[in-house]
Amino acid sequence: MRIKVYPEQSGENQFIQNIRRQLSEVDGVRVEGVPLNHRKLLMRLPYDLICRSDYTVVNWLENNVCARSGKLSVLGCLKFLGLLLLFRITCKRLIYVRHNLYPHRLKSRYSRTAQALVDRATLLLTERVALSEHMVNRGYRYVPHPLYRLPDPGSLGQHCGDLPGNEYFVIFGTISRYKGIDKIVQLWGGGHCLVVVGKVGDAGYLSELKMLAKGKNVTIRGGLLSDAEASRIISGSMGVILPHDSDEMIVSGAFFYSLALGVRVYAIRNEFYGWIVRDCQFPGLELFDDAENIVERLLCDPVEPSPVDRETIKKRASECFGDEVGVASWEKVIFQY
């Protein structure tokens, strides 16, 4: 059985290589990548029409509908539909993995149109998979987001240069406006340090954050992090803050990154985190109604220590989202049981 995965790689994000590894562990499956370059896709089209794959698994295709300005792109919508049709005619069954309801950077006034377009197109042309079980009642099959494979922080030596040595909380991931990082920085007072690190998705927003951080116990460092650097910074913290509260998010990659290191997470309540706490009975995740509640909780002196140790968090993460669970979930989707 041939299963193709689009895109064949996703830069610094481990997600694609992790699901390819899980799919390759399903009995009788051979996994191939689909190039991200659309010219290469068209050049391969005659061959792909003759030698159709059994499945194609598609990720992040909905990002095409958003222009750089944050508006809905007519050309991008046509591109989304065209690629979806191309994938559909070159395989026997098309699986669409839904990461977000609509692109992160899309302006809110276009969100309902974008979501409706993606909903209807994927319902008509694909078998739909989501990375959170709260989407099952919307017609999706559930496959868990794989855990990241990270270096052991204990083998990485001392902490990174200009960052505090201990007693800090961290926000990490792409530094973009939709993350709501500014709400935390604006409210942050004395006491423990706040560290913001990650790839710069919006240079203007990074400048705004640095202005807000002036005179505060806040360290901001923009730039791409290696897995070793990220592991060292996150594992050395008192916990990870996830302030993203927008409606488009289905799951958070940063959450799964934190789990792989056994680090406690403080997040704003939504359907995904509610499911994690309620159905997974997950330790090490504390939920809040808004950014103000998070800051109030973390700046109390002293911060109430977590009753959950890191090994307990990692053990539960493996039970809920490890490769064994992922492979079993893909088997159910592929063999339809």
Side-chain angles (χ1 to χ4, degrees), residues 217-276:
N217 194 10
V218 177
T219 298
I220 299 177
R221 196 178 81 179
L224 188 61
L225 296 174
S226 68
D227 282 336
E229 289 176 305
S231 297
R232 186 186 295 115
I233 293 167
I234 295 163
S235 63
S237 74
M238 298 171 68
V240 170
I241 303 171
L242 299 179
H244 182 196
D245 61 353
S246 299
D247 294 333
E248 85 279 2
M249 186 185 81
I250 293 177
V251 300
S252 165
F255 172 73
F256 291 97
Y257 208 103
S258 304
L259 295 195
L261 294 166
V263 177
R264 191 170 181 85
V265 173
Y266 303 90
I268 293 178
R269 196 181 315 276
N270 64 17
E271 286 187 278
F272 166 62
Y273 294 128
W275 164 68
I276 292 288

Side-chain angles (χ1 to χ4, degrees), residues 7 46 53 57 69 109 144 160 164 198 236:
S53 62
V57 178
S69 63
R109 63 179 177 272
C160 295

Side-chain angles (χ1 to χ4, degrees), residues 110-147:
Y110 304 107
S111 61
R112 291 181 65 181
T113 303
Q115 186 174 336
L117 171 68
V118 177
D119 282 347
R120 291 171 186 174
T122 55
L123 180 62
L124 181 64
L125 296 171
T126 75
E127 299 174 33
R128 303 189 298 175
V129 163
L131 303 172
S132 172
E133 203 164 353
H134 81 267
M135 294 289 289
V136 169
N137 61 4
R138 303 186 194 183
Y140 288 79
R141 300 291 296 271
Y142 168 63
V143 171
H145 189 298
L147 295 175

Side-chain angles (χ1 to χ4, degrees), residues 72-141:
L72 191 69
S73 167
V74 175
L75 184 61
C77 291
L78 293 174
K79 184 178 177 181
F80 163 76
L81 293 170
L83 286 170
L84 202 63
L85 284 168
L86 185 149
F87 290 135
R88 183 64 192 88
I89 64 175
T90 56
C91 68
K92 297 173 185 176
R93 291 171 61 191
L94 181 60
I95 296 174
Y96 194 91
V97 181
R98 195 75 175 265
H99 292 258
N100 300 290
L101 296 177
Y102 53 88
H104 290 306
R105 67 183 187 278
L106 189 71
K107 292 180 179 178
S108 58
R109 63 179 177 272
Y110 304 107
S111 61
R112 291 181 65 181
T113 303
Q115 186 174 336
L117 171 68
V118 177
D119 282 347
R120 291 171 186 174
T122 55
L123 180 62
L124 181 64
L125 296 171
T126 75
E127 299 174 33
R128 303 189 298 175
V129 163
L131 303 172
S132 172
E133 203 164 353
H134 81 267
M135 294 289 289
V136 169
N137 61 4
R138 303 186 194 183
Y140 288 79
R141 300 291 296 271

Side-chain angles (χ1 to χ4, degrees), residues 20 67 90 111 126 141 152 156 160 164 188 192 210 226 254-256 278 287 294:
R20 286 185 64 168
T90 56
S111 61
T126 75
R141 300 291 296 271
D152 178 10
L156 298 176
C160 295
W188 202 262
H192 303 293
K210 288 183 175 179
S226 68
F255 172 73
F256 291 97
R278 182 183 63 253
L287 301 182
I294 292 180

